[in-house]
Amino acid sequence: MHNHHRDLEMESSFLSTQQENPIAKARLSNLLNQVMTDLNQRKVCKLIDGTISLFLKVIEIRKDPPTVKDWDVPVLLKPYKKIPRDKWDLTTQKVRKIILVAL
């Protein structure tokens, strides 16, 4: 937001004309309201003002996935012949010979 307002100021004296121009003051208020409303409702906001664009998005910070245990093994959900080998995970590639012997 800081860079966006700095660029607006450099391009059109956006913030310095606030006190002299009530329309500019209303414009800033509208922009900030739009940001707050869009981020709260849709989690994204797009501001375009002249040649300056600002895209904001609320991201979700997730917890780390659980630690993989020694007994957690890959499970093929499709017949192995239908899965291209380059799409197999590393563990499945390593135990491929064992899988083929068991089948």
Side-chain angles (χ1 to χ4, degrees):
M1 291 282 301
H2 161 74
N3 289 339
H4 178 71
H5 283 99
R6 185 195 66 214
D7 292 344
L8 280 174
E9 178 64 22
M10 291 174 67
E11 183 179 284
S12 62
S13 301
F14 181 73
L15 298 173
S16 59
T17 60
Q18 295 291 313
Q19 297 190 6
E20 304 154 8
N21 187 351
I23 295 172
K25 191 172 191 176
R27 191 167 142 213
L28 176 62
S29 179
N30 290 339
L31 285 174
L32 294 176
N33 278 333
Q34 179 184 352
V35 168
M36 184 179 72
T37 304
D38 288 352
L39 289 178
N40 285 330
Q41 290 178 356
R42 298 182 297 131
K43 308 292 186 223
V44 294
C45 179
K46 177 173 68 170
L47 293 176
I48 299 173
D49 192 73
T51 60
I52 300 169
S53 301
L54 177 67
F55 299 92
L56 301 171
K57 183 174 187 173
V58 177
I59 59 168
E60 180 182 337
I61 299 176
R62 299 180 182 192
K63 292 191 270 183
D64 289 337
T67 305
V68 176
K69 307 289 189 216
D70 290 340
W71 54 85
D72 292 334
V73 295
V75 177
L76 298 176
L77 300 177
K78 298 178 189 176
Y80 74 94
K81 291 181 181 178
K82 291 187 178 182
I83 303 171
R85 282 194 192 151
D86 62 332
K87 300 295 182 192
W88 289 20
D89 64 271
L90 292 176
T91 304
T92 305
Q93 290 178 22
K94 287 182 179 182
V95 297
R96 178 179 169 266
K97 292 177 185 176
I98 299 168
I99 293 172
L100 293 176
V101 170
L103 297 175

